Amino acid sequence: MRARIADGAAPLAEVVRGGLVESVHLGHLVVVDPAGDVVQAVGEPTAEIWARSSLKPLQAVAMLRAGLTLPDPLLALAAASHNGEPRHLEGARAILAGAGLGPEALRNTPDLPLHAPSALAWQQAGHGAERITQNCSGKHAAMLATCVAAGWPTETYLEPDHPLQRAVRAAVVELTGDDPARTRVTVDGCGAPLFSSSLVGLARAFGRLAAAGRVPDDGTPVARVARAMAAHPEMVAGVGREDTLAMQAVPGLVAKIGAEGVCAAGLPDGGAVAFKILDGSSRPRPAILAGALLAAGAAEVPGADAAALAEVGSTPVLGGGRPVGEVRAVVGPPLAEALPAGGAA
C-alpha cells in the first residue's frame, strides 16, 4: 500500500506575524548530494507526488530524444510555465510555425497570461482566454513540433498511449530512477498526461540535468535542456517568478516550480533539492526554495549572488500595508544572514 501524502509531513515554513508563529505549512523536502544520496530530509523523501509543471524539463528531454530541434531560448520555453509576456507568446508561435502549424493545433486549456500587465494588455487588445496565452503553450507547441519531426499524429498527441507520451514516461522513469511499475498517470491542468514520481526521484533527476549542463561539449538532450534553462531563465517563467529569479542568482542552476506547492532545483555540481507543500499553497514556496538552496550550498557556486537568492525568498507578512513579519523557511539559514544591511524583512 502506498502511503498517503500527509503521512510523515513536517513543517517546511512558518508564517510569523509580530514575532508570533501564526501559521505553519507542512510538507516534504529532500536535499541530495551529487551522487544522489539524501543528505537532508524533512518529512518523507520517498513520498509519491504529482510533480506537475516541475516535470516539464524531463518532458523536454524526451522531446529532444524524439527529434525536436529548437534554439536554446525556445527550448527553455518548451520547459516553461511562462508568464504570457510578449516574448513568450512570440516564442510559442515560432515553435509552431517552425513545424508548419498554427495556434489552432494546440490542445492545452485556454487561459489569460499569468503576468498581470500582459493580461491587461491582452484584454485591452480585445482578446480573452486563449490556448496560446496559457502558461503551458510553449510545452504544447514543442510537443506538436516533436510529433511533426518524428512523423507522429498531431491530433492525438495528448493521449497517454501516443508515442510521444510513451517517450515522456520512459524519460521520467529513467531520470528519476523510480520503479516503472509504480509510475501512475493522470491528466495535468493543461490537459497533458502527467506521470507520478517520488520526491527524491525528482530531486535526483534535477541533479542529473544540472550536472550534465555544466559540461560545455555535452550535446545530449539532458545537457541541452539544462543549459537552455540556465541561460534563458526569463523564458522558463518570467518577470517576478521565483524559479527565474533563482536561476538568475545562481549560475548553472536548473529550477522549475509546479502547481500545488511543488518545486525542484538542481545545482551545477549535481546536488539538488525538491519539495512538496502539503496544502498546495504557493505562498511559502519562494522562502522554502531559497532556504533549501542555501542549505544545499548554492552560495558556494562560482558567481552566485547569495543576497539575490535570499531576496527571492524574502516574503513579508503585511499589516496595514507594511511588513510586520515574514514567511520563514524551516530549512536553511535565516535569509536575513544572506541579505545586505538594510535588506528586506
Side-chain angles (χ1 to χ4, degrees):
M1 294 288 291
R2 292 179 171 91
R4 297 180 306 131
I5 188 64
D7 290 348
L12 295 184
E14 299 172 336
V15 180
V16 182
R17 180 184 297 272
L20 178 68
V21 175
E22 182 176 31
S23 303
V24 177
H25 291 280
L26 306 178
H28 309 283
L29 180 147
V30 63
V31 180
V32 299
D33 65 15
D37 296 324
V38 176
V39 295
Q40 188 170 4
V42 177
E44 177 48 68
T46 62
E48 182 187 23
I49 65 166
W50 298 115
R52 303 298 297 271
S53 285
S54 293
L55 211 63
K56 284 176 178 174
L58 283 62
Q59 293 169 318
V61 168
M63 289 187 259
L64 289 180
R65 288 175 173 174
L68 178 67
T69 301
L70 290 175
D72 282 354
L74 298 186
L75 180 54
L77 187 65
S81 298
H82 64 71
N83 264 346
E85 298 166 39
R87 59 186 165 193
H88 301 138
L89 306 189
E90 293 166 6
R93 291 190 180 103
I95 294 172
L96 290 167
L101 301 171
E104 67 279 358
L106 294 168
R107 295 291 182 269
N108 55 307
T109 309
D111 202 354
L112 292 169
L114 293 178
H115 183 235
S118 297
L120 178 60
W122 181 257
Q123 291 172 295
Q124 287 176 333
H127 302 292
E130 295 186 21
R131 300 185 194 276
I132 195 70
T133 46
Q134 196 259 351
N135 72 89
C136 301
S137 66
K139 177 184 79 173
H140 281 255
M143 285 183 167
L144 285 162
T146 302
C147 291
V148 171
W152 295 332
T154 57
E155 298 82 2
T156 56
Y157 77 98
L158 296 184
E159 296 296 325
D161 61 351
H162 189 283
L164 170 64
Q165 304 305 339
R166 292 202 301 267
V168 168
R169 183 184 187 278
V172 170
V173 169
E174 174 199 334
L175 291 170
T176 61
D178 287 338
D179 181 355
R182 294 176 61 87
T183 300
R184 309 194 208 197
V185 63
T186 188
V187 181
D188 208 342
C190 65
L194 175 66
F195 301 97
S196 67
S197 70
S198 66
L199 188 66
V200 68
L202 183 65
R204 287 169 177 156
F206 271 72
R208 289 166 179 156
L209 281 166
R214 72 183 297 189
V215 183
D217 58 353
D218 188 341
T220 63
V222 174
R224 287 197 54 215
V225 169
R227 283 200 296 271
M229 293 176 67
H232 301 280
E234 74 286 350
M235 298 299 283
V236 176
V239 173
R241 302 276 296 282
E242 65 260 36
D243 38 3
T244 288
L245 294 170
M247 286 187 283
Q248 289 172 338
V250 183
L253 182 72
V254 178
K256 185 70 191 71
I257 65 169
E260 294 297 320
V262 177
C263 188
L267 292 162
D269 68 353
V273 305
F275 59 87
K276 159 67 181 175
I277 301 163
L278 192 61
D279 62 4
S281 174
S282 61
R283 174 174 66 171
R285 194 170 54 199
I288 298 170
L289 174 60
L293 285 173
L294 288 169
E300 306 306 316
V301 173
D305 186 337
L309 181 56
E311 287 281 7
V312 172
S314 180
T315 308
V317 170
L318 302 181
R322 62 183 181 85
V324 295
E326 64 177 341
V327 179
R328 182 171 64 199
V330 171
V331 175
L335 296 182
E337 294 182 1
L339 289 168

